[in-house]
Amino acid sequence: MFVRRNVTSLVPALLSVALLTAGCAGRDDAKSSPKSPSSSATPHGYVEGATEAAEQQSRLLLSDPGTGDTRVLDLITGRLHDTARKAGVTELTTDGRFGYFHGAEGTPVLDSGAWTVDHGDHVHYYSAKIKEVGELPGGSGTSIRSDAGVTVVTAADGKAGVYSRADLEKGALGAPDQLPGTYAGPVVPYAEHLITLTRDGDAHAKVAVLDRSGKRVATPESACEDPRGDAVTRRGVVLGCADGALLVHEDGGTFTAEKIPFGEDVPKAARATEFRHRPGSTTLTAPAGKDAVWVLDVTERAWKRVETGPVVAANTAGEGSPLVVLETDGALHGYDVSTGKETTVTERLLKDVPRAATGEAAAPVIEVDRSRAYLNDPAGKRVYEIDYNDDLRVARTFDLDIRPSLMVETGR
């Protein structure tokens, strides 16, 4: 294995973070009173027990549902870390730091020890020890959504509990605050509020904005038939609906819900119901049936349907990057989003390609960050690192001692 960055590439990054830290300190000092000499004792962005780095500290969480074996792959050092076995896992999700191993009876939580703090005009990258946090309640159908302040667990029956993010960061779950009522979809933290859907006896679900205690503070005009799928972007929260999506946005304390329609009749099997994107990007992807991919440009409020071969997984970094699609031939295909034309095809990377989750197997996924994409190969017991800006070149291959049927990336 090769280390992801070379020494020379770190020099400008180290200089950059030094300048950013100096800039942060300047702003903080300007706000501090001369009578507060202790204000500079703790560096800006300091996190107890963590190390700040000059670059993103990406890690992959990997799990084999068949055996319960789990690993954490450090993408900076190439080291593989063992963690406790997690039996009965059917789904693996993340909020950028914590991994949630969904099972039939509960959801074990793993702190990956890698995360990013976004201050708007600059970011801080951190790494710390990998540690087990505990097990959240809720079986199949449980949804978990987080922001910097809270983690919300929404059960299949629509009931939700709010956990303190600070407790999780200290390695404990703490006691949740139960929200009143039930909800028609996951409760999503956004703009220091909670966004969700309620029915109130109507056939169509409607957006509800709650404060952190669960009190409804706004009900933007909206209607969402058969809601499925959600994503948080810099432009707001996207909620999937039968006829397209709703974009819930906050501006100056006012919340609005804007419909982004498909613009055509879309059969149920071809709807966008599971969004994937690069964190921070406003370009979302979702399968559009068996042989196409939806690309939603949230900024432009526009859908595009890209015709492909038989789709297994898809994702994109957005902002002019290609749409990357794993197809049933085991190869990665690159598409120009603006034209829909295929631009690149790799050699066959996966010999055995499960197209959908079946028992102990799950379909591979494509994780994307600012410079690389990652593709898990369960049958081959490996993960591929892909340079999506260089004709989908395989930059590194990580050989593993488990079948990485489930994979998420943290540290972003």
Side-chain angles (χ1 to χ4, degrees):
M1 297 179 186
F2 298 93
V3 177
R4 185 175 180 181
R5 307 286 193 271
N6 58 37
V7 174
T8 56
S9 68
L10 282 176
V11 173
L14 288 168
L15 178 59
S16 175
V17 79
L19 291 172
L20 283 174
T21 304
C24 294
R27 284 189 292 274
D28 289 351
D29 291 345
K31 296 177 184 177
S32 300
S33 167
K35 297 181 180 180
S36 304
S38 62
S39 63
S40 61
T42 301
H44 174 82
Y46 172 78
V47 176
E48 184 177 359
T51 300
E52 186 167 5
E55 63 177 341
Q56 185 172 287
Q57 300 297 289
S58 298
R59 294 175 179 175
L60 295 179
L61 306 189
L62 307 163
S63 180
D64 180 353
T67 64
D69 291 331
T70 64
R71 301 286 187 268
V72 179
L73 175 59
D74 189 318
L75 294 169
I76 301 299
T77 66
R79 290 183 58 196
L80 197 63
H81 301 266
D82 290 347
T83 68
R85 294 181 70 253
K86 297 170 179 62
V89 176
T90 57
E91 183 183 11
L92 175 57
T93 61
T94 186
D95 55 19
R97 173 174 178 174
F98 296 92
Y100 302 101
F101 294 78
H102 301 255
E105 303 298 330
T107 303
V109 182
L110 178 70
D111 185 347
S112 74
W115 68 96
T116 295
V117 177
D118 189 346
H119 285 196
D121 61 341
H122 67 281
V123 295
H124 294 273
Y125 305 111
Y126 295 103
S127 63
K129 291 182 178 179
I130 301 164
K131 58 188 176 184
E132 305 288 342
V133 177
E135 183 171 318
L136 292 169
S140 300
T142 298
S143 301
I144 300 175
R145 305 290 186 266
S146 303
D147 68 1
V150 298
T151 293
V152 185
V153 179
T154 308
D157 62 5
K159 297 179 180 180
V162 180
Y163 291 79
S164 166
R165 180 78 170 191
D167 287 341
L168 267 68
E169 292 171 353
K170 294 175 183 177
L173 295 179
D177 294 327
Q178 294 296 328
L179 298 180
T182 58
Y183 306 98
V187 177
V188 182
Y190 167 70
E192 299 183 3
H193 288 74
L194 303 174
I195 307 300
T196 190
L197 291 163
T198 60
R199 280 207 163 82
D200 295 335
D202 295 332
H204 292 180
K206 298 179 179 179
V207 172
V209 180
L210 316 175
D211 65 17
R212 292 296 165 103
S213 68
K215 178 182 178 182
R216 188 179 300 199
V217 296
T219 308
E221 184 177 349
S222 61
C224 184
E225 181 183 355
D226 190 21
R228 290 183 63 190
D230 59 273
V232 178
T233 76
R234 290 184 180 276
R235 301 288 181 178
V237 179
V238 175
L239 304 172
C241 307
D243 58 351
L246 280 175
L247 175 63
V248 183
H249 175 68
E250 181 270 343
D251 185 12
T254 299
F255 289 84
T256 58
E258 179 182 353
K259 179 60 68 72
I260 308 177
F262 287 126
E264 59 184 90
D265 291 332
V266 176
K268 186 173 183 178
R271 280 183 47 196
T273 60
E274 185 177 353
F275 298 108
R276 299 191 68 83
H277 69 304
R278 174 180 62 78
S281 170
T282 56
T283 304
L284 308 183
T285 67
K290 295 181 178 180
D291 303 299
V293 174
W294 286 112
V295 178
L296 172 59
D297 186 328
V298 179
T299 301
E300 297 297 327
R301 313 292 201 268
W303 294 92
K304 185 175 183 63
R305 189 174 188 270
V306 178
E307 301 290 340
T308 65
V311 178
V312 178
N315 210 334
T316 183
E319 300 174 1
S321 297
L323 170 65
V324 184
V325 181
L326 173 67
E327 301 185 8
T328 53
D329 59 4
L332 287 176
H333 298 246
Y335 294 86
D336 184 311
V337 174
S338 61
T339 65
K341 300 294 186 181
E342 183 176 81
T343 57
T344 309
V345 181
T346 70
E347 63 179 344
R348 184 179 183 184
L349 298 177
L350 274 62
K351 308 304 181 186
D352 182 13
V353 189
R355 180 158 179 168
T358 56
E360 296 181 353
V365 298
I366 300 170
E367 291 285 307
V368 176
D369 61 30
R370 288 188 177 275
S371 62
R372 295 288 190 266
Y374 296 92
L375 170 67
N376 57 324
D377 178 6
K381 293 186 176 181
R382 62 177 65 95
V383 170
Y384 293 103
E385 180 181 78
I386 307 297
D387 186 344
Y388 52 77
N389 287 319
D390 187 13
D391 292 329
L392 306 184
R393 175 179 60 87
V394 176
R396 290 187 293 178
T397 300
F398 298 97
D399 294 315
L400 308 171
D401 60 346
I402 68 169
R403 292 173 58 95
S405 297
L406 302 174
M407 180 182 76
V408 295
E409 183 179 357
T410 65
R412 300 178 295 182

